[in-house]
Amino acid sequence: MNHFLHVGDLHFSRFPNRLADWRGKRLLGLLNLALNRRKAFHLSLASILIAKLQEQLQQQSTHLLCSGDFSTTSLPQEFGDALHHFSPLRHSGATFMAVPGNHDRYNGFDFRRQTMLKSLVSPLSPFIQSWPFHFLTPDQTVCIIGIDATTRNGIGSHGFFRDADYLKSLLQKRLPNTVKQLIFLCHFPAESPTSLLHRDRGEQLRNSSSLLSILEQFPIPTLFCHGHFHQRWIWQSPRIPHLTYLNAGAPMLRLSQPGKTTKEADLGFFEFESNPTIQSIRLHRLKLSNTNMVWNFSDHPLPQNSQPIDLRSIALG
């Protein structure tokens, strides 16, 4: 049995000290941070989230999957904040696996400098030297595939799938026949449930048809762990029945609650296990009150149809 945790879109943020960093697309991002994001993200909750992740990781050997957007404008200081919070997890015995999001590759400089890889991923996961990568669990029943789909997109936020040759070669020639479960780790989903999207933000992963064509050819149960859309959901692909999407949401983002005038963060993360395949997802969430903080969880079987499960609407007592 293999155990996994999934989290993403933490969006640590800083304002740069150097004037040279206040330019180009980053200038727009920093203005947005000053006017909107700084108030929207409850970053003081990071220590609470990491402490709970560490508690789960210490209970059993676990793989921690992070689907990108650790930063807001890919500043080294933002990745430094993320490393500071995640460093204690290095002593838990867990395997840390991460892919970049569009905010982690905010401009052309970040592509060239590999800021996220050098400042965050390499210290936590020395085996990840570049993307794409694949990782086999010790029993070789699960293969985790990490893809960097970020691209130079101007002021846009979309990604681009460009690893078709790598993926086909892996699945056709290098995948042991003991593998019963695939976990695909990518910031952008290949498909999106339009009924849950805010505004017209579909097709965020360009060239996704190529990715879907490859996954369609290999009928191995596949869990697609992603983020990008700041909303938790579980969704079975309408095109590929053995493909299920798991959206990590944005744990520290303040969300409006029906009937309330205040806003609180939807702090939480996913947990699941393979035996030898994944059958259900557990969502851990923090219930905040004036006097205490209580972690609760809810279990959700993988859907058997393409009706998305909106996990923001699940009210835990």
Side-chain angles (χ1 to χ4, degrees), residues 37-312:
R37 280 183 174 268
R38 195 177 188 184
K39 299 175 183 178
F41 281 84
H42 197 353
L43 296 181
S44 61
L45 292 175
S47 58
I48 299 174
L49 175 64
I50 299 300
K52 182 62 176 177
L53 288 172
Q54 188 171 17
E55 177 186 321
Q56 294 299 123
L57 293 171
Q58 288 174 340
Q59 292 179 6
Q60 51 192 314
S61 180
T62 306
H63 307 285
L64 178 59
L65 309 176
C66 301
S67 50
D69 272 2
F70 290 91
S71 69
T72 300
T73 61
S74 60
L75 288 169
Q77 299 95 318
E78 294 171 335
F79 294 121
D81 289 341
L83 179 62
H84 169 75
H85 284 284
F86 278 94
S87 286
L89 303 183
R90 288 185 288 190
H91 307 297
S92 65
T95 305
F96 178 89
M97 284 173 272
V99 294
N102 54 296
H103 283 266
D104 300 322
R105 296 286 185 81
Y106 213 64
N107 55 38
F109 294 106
D110 304 312
F111 277 90
R112 293 192 294 272
R113 295 171 182 170
Q114 293 288 311
T115 310
M116 175 182 167
L117 184 65
K118 296 176 181 177
S119 302
L120 177 63
V121 177
S122 292
L124 295 175
S125 302
F127 75 93
I128 300 178
Q129 299 295 316
S130 62
W131 293 281
F133 71 85
H134 71 278
F135 176 89
L136 286 171
T137 55
D139 61 3
Q140 295 200 331
T141 62
V142 181
C143 181
I144 300 99
I145 303 169
I147 295 293
D148 174 11
T150 60
T151 185
R152 295 175 177 84
N153 54 23
I155 62 172
S157 61
H158 64 268
F160 188 88
F161 174 66
R162 52 183 172 272
D163 295 312
D165 290 341
Y166 174 91
L167 187 58
K168 285 190 289 187
S169 174
L170 173 64
L171 297 179
Q172 291 174 350
K173 303 175 183 177
R174 293 181 286 158
L175 197 68
N177 56 16
T178 55
V179 172
K180 306 300 180 184
Q181 175 78 53
L182 294 179
I183 297 178
F184 206 83
L185 184 61
C186 180
H187 182 65
F188 307 88
E191 302 169 281
S192 306
T194 55
S195 61
L196 298 185
L197 297 184
H198 299 290
R199 304 185 300 273
D200 184 18
R201 294 194 65 205
E203 299 296 328
Q204 285 288 286
L205 181 62
R206 309 291 167 83
N207 196 34
S208 61
S209 59
S210 176
L211 171 57
L212 292 170
S213 296
I214 296 171
L215 295 178
E216 201 168 25
Q217 298 173 30
F218 297 90
I220 302 174
T222 302
L223 187 66
F224 198 121
C225 294
H226 69 92
H228 192 55
F229 299 104
H230 294 164
Q231 178 175 345
R232 289 194 189 93
W233 65 57
I234 307 175
W235 185 50
Q236 183 189 61
S237 166
R239 172 173 170 176
I240 306 174
H242 62 266
L243 174 62
T244 303
Y245 295 94
L246 188 64
N247 185 356
M252 294 187 288
L253 175 65
R254 299 176 188 269
L255 298 175
S256 299
Q257 302 295 321
K260 296 183 180 180
T261 58
T262 60
K263 294 182 179 181
E264 60 185 32
D266 190 17
L267 200 69
F269 59 92
F270 287 121
E271 177 184 14
F272 47 91
E273 60 186 24
S274 62
N275 189 25
T277 61
I278 299 165
Q279 300 297 322
S280 64
I281 304 295
R282 173 167 290 184
L283 171 59
H284 293 266
R285 295 178 73 176
L286 183 67
K287 176 68 175 180
L288 295 171
S289 71
N290 294 329
T291 57
N292 58 12
M293 296 180 294
V294 179
W295 282 95
N296 293 314
F297 65 82
S298 57
D299 291 320
H300 306 273
L302 294 190
Q304 300 301 309
N305 57 54
S306 58
Q307 181 66 34
I309 302 173
D310 182 358
L311 291 178
R312 286 195 312 175

